[in-house]
Amino acid sequence: MEIVLGIESSCDETAAALVTGDGQILAQHIASQDEAHAPYGGVVPEIAARAHVEKLTPLIEATLADAGMQLGDVDAIAATAGPGLIGGVMVGLVTGKALAMAADKPLIAVNHLEGHALSPRLADRTLEYPYLLLLVSGGHCQLLAVEGAGHYRRLATTIDDALGEAFDKTAKLLGLGYPGGPAVERLAQQGDPAAVALPRPLLGRKEPHFSFAGLKSAVLRAKQSGEHSDADIAASFQQAAIDCLLDRTRRALGAAGPMNALVVAGGVAANRAIRGALENLASEHGLRFVAPPLALCTDNAAMIAWAGIERLRLGHRDPLDFTAKPRWPLDPEAQAVRGAGVKA
Ligand code: KG4
Ligand code: ZN
């Protein structure tokens, strides 16, 4: 059974994990930088890169120690090589390269998005390709037909903001701090989702793309009007987001061809209201619904190790001169969408 060391450093989590070919997480360590970035209301790339430099090596050592292993015991080293904040990505990738060279092990340069996309298969070993994936994170909002590791058909993307970004901006507006998603979700539980009339951008459109910029502006106007409680605004925002996700995902299910499951992944997939709504949509369509446990939804190294395992099995190896990629789409054939401020 393969054992892979995973390294993640593309945003504001520094993480290392040891994962086996049968999906066991032998050990993992994760250091969040939330406190370092909180005063700025978002991730500061320079602060992030420095923190990764400081924390990564001790985290890898602790992960190996917890599993009672040495570098020589692993079969490969999988490091996130993009997309993301380039300083952080380089820290993780260079570390992965150095370890691979020192221990004479293969290097797998993992696409962070592939880590998210395959994380449901780490969580549920019975999940088979192809599946329809809603990938919702701080930088992305996409619908993809996942046909295998390295095989993605992008059916839709956001033409402006990612959903996680909209959650974070709503949180900032309501003074909930950073990171915003979990705080908005908590406040939404105390509010009325029908209290504030908010737009549902692109609802009913044929192409299953997303748009959240207009929703974000409407949240700002609702707050400025002074007519609504913060809890009602949070609940109404979350409901509008859910209505958009359901309509767009329903559309994609119609266009994707036969799928084995509806799957959600990425940081926003940690939202329980969103998970519940998608689960209902899946059952409407007679489909299995798979969502990784919350700790596997937000950035982590176990999903990177797992993507490494899937790639290793396909005979994939990367050269030690592999360059970090700030942008790296899962489906290189996907057309740019008008208005898409594509982010990493
Ligand atoms: O995947 P992730 O950890 O990092 C990226 O690769 O972007 O996603 C982070 C995003 C943030 O925008 C965060 O606010 C959002 O996921 N998020 C949530 C929740 N937990 C995290 N959004 C809504 N509800 C949540 N419970
Ligand atoms: Zn992520």
Side-chain angles (χ1 to χ4, degrees):
M1 191 63 69
E2 316 89 319
I3 300 175
V4 169
L5 171 68
I7 296 173
E8 161 61 31
S9 60
S10 66
C11 190
D12 58 347
E13 325 279 349
T14 319
L18 282 162
V19 176
T20 66
D22 61 356
Q24 278 187 68
I25 301 173
L26 296 178
Q28 67 172 322
H29 278 269
I30 180 158
S32 163
Q33 305 171 5
D34 285 353
E35 278 176 28
H37 301 292
Y40 307 95
V43 180
V44 183
E46 177 66 22
I47 293 176
R50 283 166 188 264
H52 289 306
V53 170
E54 274 168 32
K55 289 178 185 163
L56 185 55
T57 307
L59 285 186
I60 293 171
E61 283 168 354
T63 302
L64 285 166
D66 281 4
M69 296 178 79
Q70 292 179 334
L71 205 53
D73 301 327
V74 310
D75 294 288
I77 291 153
T80 296
L85 300 173
I86 196 67
V89 172
M90 284 173 67
V91 172
L93 182 58
V94 166
T95 305
K97 286 176 179 178
L99 296 178
M101 194 156 92
D104 194 21
K105 300 290 178 184
L107 170 77
I108 316 277
V110 173
N111 183 322
H112 177 84
L113 299 174
E114 179 156 76
H116 280 302
L118 304 186
S119 64
R121 281 170 50 86
L122 168 57
D124 184 337
R125 304 288 304 111
T126 67
L127 173 62
E128 286 185 25
Y129 299 119
Y131 51 83
L132 183 74
L133 168 72
L134 172 63
L135 177 57
V136 271
S137 69
H140 292 86
C141 189
Q142 301 188 351
L143 282 157
L144 297 144
V146 181
E147 288 158 352
H151 295 280
Y152 302 90
R153 206 155 34 91
R154 197 197 72 191
L155 303 169
T157 189
T158 177
I159 63 165
D160 41 55
D161 295 350
L163 184 53
E165 205 178 340
F167 266 94
D168 291 336
K169 286 181 180 159
T170 297
K172 203 168 178 178
L173 207 73
L174 300 179
L176 299 177
Y178 174 86
V184 171
E185 181 181 10
R186 271 195 303 278
L187 187 60
Q189 284 165 0
Q190 298 156 30
D192 172 3
V196 189
L198 294 172
R200 269 84 172 142
L202 302 185
L203 210 77
R205 294 286 180 87
K206 183 166 168 285
E207 294 280 319
H209 295 309
F210 299 93
S211 167
F212 294 107
L215 177 56
K216 182 183 69 188
S217 314
V219 168
L220 174 64
R221 286 192 295 275
K223 172 70 181 169
Q224 286 172 339
S225 76
E227 288 168 20
H228 308 283
S229 72
D230 286 356
D232 281 351
I233 294 175
S236 301
F237 160 76
Q238 186 170 276
Q239 188 57 50
I242 288 173
D243 289 350
C244 294
L245 289 179
L246 288 181
D247 177 78
R248 313 287 58 213
T249 306
R250 194 177 279 124
R251 186 72 62 168
L253 278 171
M259 291 285 133
N260 283 316
L262 173 62
V263 171
V264 64
V268 183
N271 184 292
R272 288 181 185 79
I274 291 176
R275 291 163 86 100
L278 290 168
E279 185 163 19
N280 291 339
L281 178 68
S283 74
E284 257 173 47
H285 285 76
L287 279 176
R288 271 182 74 188
F289 175 68
V290 180
L294 303 192
L296 271 184
C297 287
T298 47
D299 287 349
N300 65 87
M303 70 180 190
I304 303 303
W306 178 256
I309 286 171
E310 292 224 16
R311 289 208 156 244
L312 195 66
R313 284 185 183 158
L314 295 173
H316 189 99
R317 307 283 185 278
D318 287 300
L320 289 177
D321 63 354
F322 193 98
T323 29
K325 302 182 189 187
R327 288 184 183 189
W328 190 358
L330 281 178
D331 177 359
E333 313 268 285
Q335 305 281 322
V337 178
R338 204 172 64 86
V342 186
K343 295 191 182 140

